Amino acid sequence: MKNIILLTLIIFSFTNCSNKEHDASYEGKYDYSKGENYTNNSNVDPEQSNLHIHNKFKEHNTYSMPKNMIEYEFYWNGSNYYPIGWSRNGKIAFRQFTSFDGIGGCLDQIIIQSMITDKILKTIKLDEFNPDVSEDWDNHCDLDQTWDKERRTVLKYLNRYEIEDNSFGLINDSDKIRTNDGEFRIKLSQSLLEEFSEETGAENRTKYKLKVYFDGNSKTISSEVISAHNVDYLGYYKSPFENRILIVLQYQDVSYGEYSHNGGVITIGCDLDSSSWD
């Protein structure tokens, strides 16, 4: 169980489109009152397009429980990911819920991640349950119940990182990003370095490279070797506050038995400012 949790936590990439290591603000570049941040050819709920017209973060008294799960394919074991919101300086928050098939139990946590450096800034554990230690199923592994029970913890950390509620739209599954400056193109390539073998004990190892193209130039924003037999592009989310996106990949890993199969998502930030590219 510990190995599954560790793999889930470390699988996130740690690179992005820009070499900038500081928070870059694009406030004032978009007219939020017209919803340009949501309707720029993206697949987003139009009702959310006018929610963010103020320039400063105001502390929230409550946060809506995230409902829109990132849809991806995995085998038997895999976490559920629920985007919560963006900050105005390039941070995101999402809820990660893992139910351990076969072993039983669950792990429920909020992840705060920088879309500038891709680093995990904070992991907030909301619930963890191991049936080998306790039989108290009634008070664990229920998403609605845990969100209500841990309301103070949710408020404390999401406010601390200035996460805006309801600031995530729907994922756009296109590999093209149209902006006022032109069209960006996302391309994922991969190669299987080693394949799982029960006879030899070999594990799956796949190298992937994620690149973004713009106006004849390209930038490698992530290149990693991970424990998986394949990686796929799912789509991207656009920040409502900056010229920045979150790119989402999925991975799958087939191992020694049905309960050893694993899957998850990889979240990578990209600054759509090509002037910062090498």
Side-chain angles (χ1 to χ4, degrees):
M1 179 174 178
K2 290 182 178 179
N3 290 336
I4 297 175
I5 297 172
L6 180 61
L7 174 62
T8 305
L9 291 176
I10 67 174
I11 200 66
F12 299 98
S13 301
F14 297 104
T15 54
N16 68 38
C17 273
S18 171
N19 290 329
K20 298 176 183 178
E21 295 297 327
H22 60 280
D23 289 3
S25 174
Y26 291 85
E27 292 291 357
K29 193 170 183 178
Y30 297 103
D31 183 352
Y32 300 117
S33 65
K34 294 181 180 178
E36 291 180 13
N37 52 322
Y38 285 108
T39 58
N40 188 15
N41 294 309
S42 61
N43 189 19
V44 175
D45 183 354
E47 292 183 1
Q48 295 185 352
S49 63
N50 296 319
L51 291 178
H52 307 289
I53 60 176
H54 302 293
N55 292 327
K56 294 183 179 180
F57 176 80
K58 294 183 179 180
E59 191 168 287
H60 292 267
N61 294 320
T62 185
Y63 279 92
S64 307
M65 193 183 86
K67 298 287 189 180
N68 292 327
M69 184 172 65
I70 298 176
E71 299 290 344
Y72 74 103
E73 297 178 0
F74 61 87
Y75 300 111
W76 292 97
N77 288 303
S79 298
N80 293 334
Y81 302 87
Y82 301 88
I84 297 173
W86 289 81
S87 74
R88 298 175 186 274
N89 58 356
K91 300 180 184 69
I92 63 165
F94 59 90
R95 187 180 191 180
Q96 179 182 354
F97 179 82
T98 308
S99 178
F100 300 108
D101 293 335
I103 301 173
C106 64
L107 177 64
D108 190 354
Q109 54 194 2
I110 292 175
I111 308 295
I112 309 292
Q113 183 181 5
S114 169
M115 290 291 93
I116 299 174
T117 65
D118 287 343
K119 292 182 179 180
I120 303 297
L121 303 176
K122 186 71 177 179
T123 300
I124 303 105
K125 186 185 296 182
L126 301 179
D127 184 25
E128 184 175 21
F129 179 63
N130 184 346
D132 292 337
V133 177
S134 170
E135 296 183 356
D136 186 21
W137 283 99
D138 291 339
N139 293 311
H140 296 280
C141 302
D142 183 289
L143 287 169
D144 294 274
Q145 177 181 276
T146 300
W147 192 262
D148 290 337
K149 185 170 64 175
E150 298 298 326
R151 178 180 176 275
R152 290 185 179 180
T153 300
V154 171
L155 282 172
K156 175 183 176 181
Y157 287 104
L158 294 185
N159 276 318
R160 176 179 297 179
Y161 287 93
E162 300 187 349
I163 302 298
E164 291 286 3
D165 197 17
N166 293 314
S167 54
F168 258 97
L170 302 179
I171 195 168
N172 190 323
D173 61 5
S174 173
D175 62 356
K176 298 177 182 178
I177 310 165
R178 295 180 177 86
T179 71
N180 292 334
D181 297 327
E183 183 177 273
F184 291 77
R185 181 75 179 268
I186 301 170
K187 183 178 181 181
L188 172 69
S189 60
Q190 61 180 295
S191 59
L192 184 62
L193 303 179
E194 188 175 23
E195 191 169 8
F196 165 76
S197 171
E198 192 169 353
E199 295 179 357
T200 65
E203 301 287 345
N204 290 312
R205 292 173 61 247
T206 293
K207 181 176 182 178
Y208 76 84
K209 181 179 289 187
L210 184 66
K211 302 183 74 172
V212 175
Y213 293 81
F214 178 76
D215 196 25
N217 297 318
S218 67
K219 176 76 173 181
T220 299
I221 64 170
S222 183
S223 182
E224 300 286 339
V225 176
I226 66 172
S227 299
H229 73 270
N230 71 287
V231 182
D232 299 296
Y233 172 74
L234 290 182
Y236 69 88
Y237 293 95
K238 176 71 174 63
S239 168
F241 310 113
E242 303 178 278
N243 203 15
R244 191 183 306 280
I245 61 169
L246 156 62
I247 297 174
V248 184
L249 310 178
Q250 73 169 14
Y251 69 91
Q252 296 169 332
D253 186 27
V254 175
S255 189
Y256 287 94
E258 59 187 20
Y259 296 121
S260 297
H261 301 339
N262 192 30
V265 303
I266 305 168
T267 48
I268 303 162
C270 180
D271 182 355
L272 298 180
D273 178 10
S274 61
S275 65
S276 66
W277 295 10
D278 293 334

